[in-house]
Amino acid sequence: MLTSALLVALVMYIAKFADHTLGQPLIERPLICGAMVGFVLGDFQQGSSSAQRWN
């Protein structure tokens, strides 16, 4: 559980860091972040589908 939380925090940190350093790559959008979190947690399909609900 702690490992999952740290991985999600790392993904969100990378997304925020990329947004501030690369200009505006739109990596913070729910569809992209949801897919990245789903990939890190091992369920890309669920991450993508849950992100589509927020778009």
Side-chain angles (χ1 to χ4, degrees), residues 2 4 6 8 11 15-16 21 24 26 35 37 39 41 47 50-51 55:
L2 181 64
S4 298
L6 290 175
V8 170
V11 166
K16 184 62 93 171
T21 58
Q24 189 80 14
L26 298 178
V37 168
F39 180 74
L41 295 180
S50 65
N55 250 349

Side-chain angles (χ1 to χ4, degrees), residues 25-48:
L26 298 178
I27 199 169
E28 286 184 329
R29 301 292 296 172
L31 187 59
I32 304 300
C33 283
M36 289 191 318
V37 168
F39 180 74
V40 166
L41 295 180
D43 195 1
F44 182 78
Q45 181 83 20
Q46 183 67 29
S48 297

